[in-house]
């Protein structure tokens, strides 16, 4: 039986008492903020909802990054939604533009862009295009489990190699090693770098924080293999959540440094828009003994709120807890990464064609 309800403007969450759903970040669907009406199936068993994959047909695949505090100029995302199940994922609200929930729908209703490689090739062929490195996955993970089946990321990398166009790969998944045969010749031409997201090396915590990503052990092994093949590796310690993984930065930096990473970055957790109810519900289920402590610590970094949208402020946070985290990473940089430089990617061999002949006209 379906129950239809008119939503108050501040209504955010379908309240239910349930045991935690293992292998899942979101524990329920939250209300799409763009919907005035919704329906709730009585006694719906969210554990029985199967993952589905829907092909979509975008007209473009490369996005211009307009955020003032991000260094990249372009990004592209082969998938919408992500199976990895991180409750804090900042991409969750984008699923609402497709008419879905930022909760369980985000992890189980995945949209795939099979035409992405063809769209990228057309983008490279645009008259007057000036090449700049593209971030492969600025939103959802390009090596999430769906990639084993669809291989869109692999095809995108092949296009980048064919056109000699630089790309930064960002992922939480050791599946990136599958494409070593493409990454190696790209690295020889300074066309690729890989960033692995490793917020924790505590495997018990990792299984709760990011339940369907690669294990910490496999991520560290991936760093070793990529580095051995002379593919530049950066590590993102992201996000840092006070009261959960904020005691780990030095341990993580030591481990990834020893594995061969050349640089690192980090971000403080922020829970904007519909990410907030997903995370709050998750931590109350996963860590009931410390949920309120963690939430209060986050608020202490965010001016009494859980989220922050202001450019630059969203990166640095505020207060004693945020400053302690920054200090820890400063120590880690000096201790484990002193003297290491991350190489820049090259655009000099890009011509807008698959062959090596230079363009005669712009």
């Amino acid at each position: 039986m379906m129950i239809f309800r008119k939503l108050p403007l501040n209504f955010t969450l379908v309240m239910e008492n349930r045991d935690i759903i293992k292998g899942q970040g979101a524990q329920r669907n939250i209300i799409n903020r763009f919907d005035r009406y919704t329906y709730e199936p009585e006694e719906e068993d969210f554990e029985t909802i199967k993952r589905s994959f829907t092909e979509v047909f975008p007209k473009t695949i490369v996005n211009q990054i307009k955020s003032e505090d991000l260094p990249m100029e372009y990004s592209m995302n082969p998938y919408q939604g992500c199976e990895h199940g991180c409750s804090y994922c900042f991409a969750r609200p984008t699923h609402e533009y497709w008419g879905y929930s930022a909760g369980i729908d985000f992890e189980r209703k995945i949209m795939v862009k099979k035409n992405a490689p063809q769209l990228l090739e057309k983008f490279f062929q645009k008259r007057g295009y000036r090449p700049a490195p593209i971030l492969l996955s600025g939103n959802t993970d390009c090596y999430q489990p769906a990639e084993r089946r669809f291989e869109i990321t692999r095809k995108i990398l092949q296009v980048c190699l064919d056109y000699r166009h630089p790309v930064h790969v960002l992922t939480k998944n050791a599946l990136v090693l599958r494409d070593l045969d493409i990454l190696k010749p790209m690295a020889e031409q300074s066309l690729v770098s890989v960033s692995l997201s490793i917020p924790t090396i505590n495997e018990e915590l990792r299984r709760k924080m990011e339940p369907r990503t690669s294990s910490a052990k496999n991520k560290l092994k991936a760093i070793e293999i990529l580095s051995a093949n002379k593919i530049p590796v950066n590590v993102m310690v992201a996000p840092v959540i006070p009261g959960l993984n904020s005691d780990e930065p030095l341990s993580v930096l030591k481990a990834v440094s020893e594995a061969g990473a050349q640089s690192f970055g980090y971000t403080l957790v922020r829970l904007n828009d519909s990410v907030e109810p997903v995370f709050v519900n998750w931590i109350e289920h996963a860590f009931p003994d410390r949920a309120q402590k963690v939430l209060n610590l986050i608020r202490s970094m965010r001016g009494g709120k859980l989220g922050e949208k202001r450019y630059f402020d969203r990166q640095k946070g505020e207060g004693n807890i945020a400053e302690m985290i920054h200090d820890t990473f400063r120590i880690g940089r000096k201790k484990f990464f002193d003297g290491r430089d991350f190489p820049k990617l090259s655009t000099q061999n890009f011509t807008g064609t698959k062959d090596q002949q230079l363009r005669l006209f712009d």
Side-chain angles (χ1 to χ4, degrees), residues 336-348:
F336 301 116
F337 286 85
D338 191 35
R340 298 193 188 188
D341 295 318
F342 199 75
K344 292 184 178 180
L345 300 188
S346 173
T347 60
Q348 65 180 4

Side-chain angles (χ1 to χ4, degrees), residues 41-110:
E42 285 191 340
E43 301 299 325
E44 181 172 7
D45 184 358
F46 286 112
E47 294 193 64
T48 66
I49 300 176
K50 295 182 179 180
R51 284 176 177 79
S52 63
F53 302 96
T54 302
E55 184 177 2
V56 293
F57 302 91
K59 294 182 179 179
T60 60
I61 191 60
V62 179
N63 312 300
Q64 186 172 13
I65 298 176
K66 299 180 180 180
S67 298
E68 299 173 9
D69 55 356
L70 295 178
M72 302 301 300
E73 190 169 344
Y74 298 107
S75 70
M76 56 182 162
N77 298 280
Y79 304 97
Q80 292 292 138
C82 184
E83 300 172 83
H84 279 156
C86 308
S87 63
Y88 47 76
C89 180
F90 64 84
R92 286 183 178 274
T94 63
H95 227 47
E96 296 175 305
Y97 293 106
W98 296 82
Y100 294 120
S101 169
I104 288 178
D105 282 354
F106 178 77
E107 301 174 39
R108 300 198 183 181
K109 297 182 183 296
I110 310 300

